Amino acid sequence: MTINELEQQLVENKLMTTYAQTALYEEAVNSIFNENNPAVIDSLIKGFHDETENQEVMYSTLHGIEFFYKKIGPKEYIAKVFPLLTTIQPEAYGWAETFFLRLLNNEQSFNDLKTLLPNMGNDEKKLLKTFCESLSKRNPERFAEKTDILLALA
């Protein structure tokens, strides 16, 4: 199968409401990931949905994407992934926020995010502001300091 066909299989089965859908989703993720090329992040990111029945499998997809963090480096990873988070809205807002939260909680990623923020597009900055406001409101003791820094730069 081509990457486009695998991506379509991934998208069609991301709710994973049946065992068959879960198997097809996992097959697509594994085949795409086996390309071992950071370009596949574009396809893998489309496999997220907040209403999925199988959160564990979706976390595996997130971890698969994060593998490229080590392979291409934090700054390149953020530059690649963050703009893609705007494309999975609104059906995967929770997953997009999870990606952001994982960047926020990693000191290297947080520093790189600060560096990259001034050059982000308006859609990315708008999404970052939404994430920061949501996290800061939910847990100000934990997130206010970092989110305030990012909001000041946005």
Side-chain angles (χ1 to χ4, degrees), residues 11-113:
V11 169
E12 289 172 358
N13 294 288
K14 63 185 169 184
L15 290 178
M16 294 184 266
T17 56
T18 66
Y19 177 79
Q21 280 186 337
T22 302
L24 288 167
Y25 180 92
E26 287 181 305
E27 175 187 68
V29 167
N30 290 335
S31 295
I32 292 169
F33 186 74
N34 283 338
E35 292 291 314
N36 199 21
N37 181 339
V40 301
I41 294 172
D42 294 7
S43 296
L44 292 171
I45 203 80
K46 295 176 184 176
F48 289 91
H49 199 292
D50 289 340
E51 300 298 320
T52 188
E53 295 289 321
N54 200 323
Q55 299 279 324
E56 297 82 19
V57 172
M58 207 151 279
Y59 265 109
S60 294
T61 306
L62 182 144
H63 293 159
I65 291 171
E66 287 179 333
F67 163 80
F68 293 108
Y69 177 94
K70 294 176 187 138
K71 184 170 181 148
I72 63 176
K75 197 174 271 189
E76 291 79 10
Y77 174 83
I78 294 167
K80 175 80 173 159
V81 170
F82 203 86
L84 294 173
L85 299 181
T86 65
T87 68
I88 61 174
Q89 307 298 312
E91 68 183 24
Y93 174 85
W95 286 103
E97 189 177 70
T98 299
F99 273 96
F100 176 72
L101 185 58
R102 293 168 77 86
L103 294 173
L104 193 65
N105 285 331
N106 178 292
E107 204 58 40
Q108 177 67 50
S109 295
F110 175 67
N111 289 329
D112 288 339
L113 194 55

